[in-house]
Amino acid sequence: MTSVRGWSSRRTRKERGWLRGAPPPRWVRVLPVLLLVAVTVTALGTPHARDLGFLLGAIPPLAVLSYGPMATAALGVLVVVVLNLPFAHLNRPGNTDVLTIAFVALLSVLLSFVRSRRDAQLDMEREISEAVQGAVMPPLPERVGRVRCAGFYRAAQDGTLVGGDFFDVRDGPYGVRAVMGDVQGHGLSAVSTVVSLLGAFREAALDQPGLEAVAARMDRRLVADSSAVRHPELFATAVLLEFSADARTVRVLACGHPPPVLLHGERALEMIVPPSPPLGIGLLGMERPKEVTVSLGPRDRLLIASDGVWEARNDSDAFYPLPDRLTALAGAGAGEGAGEGAGAGSLPDAVWADLLRLRFEVRDDATMLVLTPAPAVP
């Protein structure tokens, strides 16, 4: 999965194929042709190949897996022709054998037609789903105000673009604000909650003067959404950030979500942020969330990761040590240029590659957001 300027606009050819239904492996496409050629050459080369004729009956059904109706029909005709070659020594099949294989070939053409129509319908539905999900979380810009952005998103449920995690970065009258959250559950069942929270954040980021008010607006949205449920258990964790106008400081508020990790040179330090309750349990009636303000250097970076990254486990059931690994990756020069749309060399990709290399199992949506402020020169 690529590191994003826009995770939905920079997919590789392999990823686009995965979203639309991966094509069959190359060997499956080649197998019917190879089988036809092998049986024909063997039959023409030796009179002792008469028992190989039954193999030709498998070619039309195999073609259904990879080819359309026309190609399947062509292979079926070739099979019947080869069976009737007098010098092919294929046991001189009788009319019953030829009719049986011809019927199988005709049935295979019908099945191929039905499969092609079904695949076309699925492709259209996936394109619609991709457009809708892309509207939920549009591509992340390379830069928002004075903050460079890079993100990574891998939904736990295969075939989907959006799961239970979300992030966004917006510029407004109160500075650049960012959010990362994780709603209850994952997969398509969590998308409606993601839509509600992102809408609440985008609106509040424009008209609420403080992060606490933004969190309260998102909390109220969840409370309202779950009010009609008999036994409401709708909640979400989130971390909110607000950069000053000169990008020299950042305010951070965490509602049940792991805090950001500050990369200062080759050191990675987990921020100490007072924990606040998750969103959705009614923050307005509880003690107000507490935020912290952190000074930023000219080359500092902030990495925010979801539970899918923090709670990845290895064979020893140990959690992925994200700050330690970030220090090691920074020391090795990995992720240089992160936040500048650096592609394969960006920090989120380096972390993901490290997870796979060390054989950590990711059991939830895996999301990372790297924010690189560019402080104003005094």
Side-chain angles (χ1 to χ4, degrees), residues 61-72:
L62 286 173
V64 173
L65 300 175
S66 306
Y67 296 100
M70 297 300 295
T72 302

Side-chain angles (χ1 to χ4, degrees), residues 6 42 73 91 130 133 143 205 223 241 264 276 349 359:
T42 304
N91 202 24
E130 182 176 347
Q133 292 174 337
R143 187 181 184 117
V223 172
L241 298 91
H264 182 73
S276 300
D349 284 314
R359 300 183 181 276

